[in-house]
Amino acid sequence: MKKLIIILVVLSFGVQGIFAADDWGKTGHRATGEIAQRYLTKKTQRAITELLNGQSLAFVANYADDIKSDNEYRSYGTWHYVNFPFDSTYEKHPKSEKGDLIVGINTCVSALKNENSSKDEKIFHLKMLVHFIGDLHQPLHIGLADDKGGNDFQVRWFKDGANLHRVWDYHMIDDYDMSYTELAENSEELTKNQLKRFQAGTVIDWMYDSRDLCKQVYENTEIGDKLGYMYMYDYMNVVRTQLQKGGIRLAVLLNGIFG
Ligand code: ADE
Ligand code: ZN
Ligand code: ZN
C-alpha cells in the first residue's frame, strides 16, 4: 500500500512536470484573443469568422498548447519561446536550429499572407499565431536558456512550491480569479496616444519590450523567494497590461494580413 502511494505521488508530480509549461495559462491566452477581437476591422472579422467557422480567437487561443501532446506536432515545441543571454541580443546570439518564437510568428504571418496556402494551412497558422502573440508578451518566454525561462528557478507561491515561470504563466492570473472575458472587459482605458504607442513597432520591437520586463523580473526576484500578496500587488497590473498589449498587437498583425 505504502509503495502504491509513493508511486502515485511520483507519477502525479511527473505528469505535472511534463504538462507544466502551458504558457500564459488558458485564461491568459483567451484574454489576449478576446482583446484582439475587439480591435479587428470589419473586413478582418469576416475573414477570420470564415476561416474559423465562427469560432472566436479566444476559443482557438490554446490550440498550440493542446497539440503539444501529439507527437506529430513535436517540432513546434520550440516556437513558444526565445532565449538569449542578458548581455547579448536576439540578432547576435546563435539561433535555435529548431526555430524559436520569432521564427514561429514569422512563419504564421507568411503562411497567412501567402495566396498559395490552402485553407487548412491558413486555419492552422492562424490558431498558432493567436497563441504565439500571447507567448510573446509573457516576459519569461523571452528568457534565459540556463534556467529554461525560469522553469528551473524555484520559488514559493504562497505556501506551495512553484517556479518563476509558472508564477508568470499561471499563478498570478489564477489567483486574480477573473474569467477571460472579465479580464478583457476590465482592461485599462487607453488614451489615443497610449493605444498608438502599443500598436507601433515590429514583432522584434515587441519582443524587446517583453525582454525589458523579463530583466526587471530577474532583478526583483531571488531563487527561493516566498512570493504571494506583495508580488501580486507589484505585478498583476503589469500582467494585465501585457495581456492588453498582446491583444492589441495581435489585432495589428491580423488587420495587416486580412484588412
Ligand atoms: N523552455 C526553455 N526555455 C523556455 C522559455 N523561455 N519559456 C518556456 N519554456 C522554455
Ligand atoms: Zn510558459
Ligand atoms: Zn505557448
Side-chain angles (χ1 to χ4, degrees):
M1 188 63 189
K2 213 171 164 192
K3 257 189 191 163
L4 182 67
I5 291 171
I6 291 170
I7 289 168
L8 284 176
V9 167
V10 168
L11 267 179
S12 83
F13 273 100
V15 168
Q16 211 185 340
I18 292 164
F19 293 109
D22 57 359
D23 317 326
W24 265 139
K26 295 198 189 322
T27 307
H29 278 288
R30 286 183 184 134
T32 300
E34 179 64 24
I35 293 166
Q37 198 92 39
R38 296 162 189 227
Y39 288 92
L40 301 179
T41 63
K42 284 268 166 324
K43 195 167 170 218
T44 306
Q45 266 174 33
R46 273 197 301 275
I48 287 175
T49 303
E50 137 85 356
L51 278 178
L52 297 180
N53 212 3
Q55 289 174 346
S56 66
L57 295 180
F59 188 82
V60 302
N62 292 300
Y63 174 75
D65 277 340
D66 297 340
I67 62 174
K68 276 180 180 167
S69 41
D70 185 339
N71 276 341
E72 197 189 318
Y73 296 106
R74 246 222 167 110
S75 60
Y76 298 100
T78 57
W79 285 16
H80 292 253
Y81 55 87
V82 53
N83 293 322
F84 48 95
F86 281 151
D87 62 2
S88 189
T89 63
Y90 177 68
E91 290 78 7
K92 280 195 202 136
H93 192 67
K95 310 259 181 304
S96 160
E97 281 169 17
K98 297 182 193 158
D100 58 36
L101 182 54
I102 300 301
V103 171
I105 291 170
N106 289 339
T107 307
C108 291
V109 171
S110 300
L112 286 166
K113 281 186 172 164
N114 188 344
E115 287 172 11
N116 297 320
S117 298
S118 68
K119 185 169 179 188
D120 279 350
E121 280 167 343
K122 287 193 177 177
I123 295 167
F124 175 78
H125 289 98
L126 173 58
K127 291 178 182 175
M128 298 295 271
L129 181 63
V130 175
H131 180 90
F132 291 147
I133 298 301
D135 282 345
L136 187 68
H137 290 83
Q138 204 285 45
L140 293 164
H141 278 242
I142 321 298
L144 300 174
D146 292 348
D147 67 3
K148 301 196 185 70
N151 275 300
D152 290 344
F153 191 121
Q154 301 304 318
V155 293
R156 297 199 76 74
W157 182 251
F158 289 91
K159 60 180 177 21
D160 297 322
N163 69 65
L164 187 59
H165 190 98
R166 192 146 169 83
V167 166
W168 277 85
D169 263 358
Y170 173 75
H171 288 302
M172 282 196 276
I173 295 178
D174 187 52
D175 276 27
Y176 200 58
D177 211 14
M178 271 197 180
S179 67
Y180 76 86
T181 44
E182 286 169 335
L183 282 166
E185 258 157 39
N186 292 289
S187 296
E188 286 304 311
E189 284 282 338
L190 298 177
T191 64
K192 271 199 178 134
N193 268 335
Q194 280 173 318
L195 177 60
K196 263 195 191 157
R197 258 187 283 134
F198 283 180
Q199 288 169 325
T202 62
V203 169
I204 296 286
D205 295 329
W206 302 338
M207 176 196 69
Y208 280 118
D209 190 24
S210 298
R211 177 58 164 208
D212 288 345
L213 182 52
C214 178
K215 282 187 178 165
Q216 280 179 40
V217 170
Y218 275 85
E219 275 161 21
N220 296 328
T221 322
E222 304 275 345
I223 290 173
D225 270 359
K226 200 165 179 296
L227 309 179
Y229 291 116
M230 197 60 205
Y231 207 73
M232 283 288 275
Y233 183 69
D234 286 341
Y235 284 119
M236 190 56 215
N237 282 343
V238 175
V239 171
R240 289 175 57 235
T241 303
Q242 289 307 103
L243 298 177
Q244 188 175 23
K245 283 180 177 174
I248 288 168
R249 290 166 176 173
L250 174 59
V252 167
L253 291 182
L254 295 175
N255 288 333
I257 294 165
F258 298 108

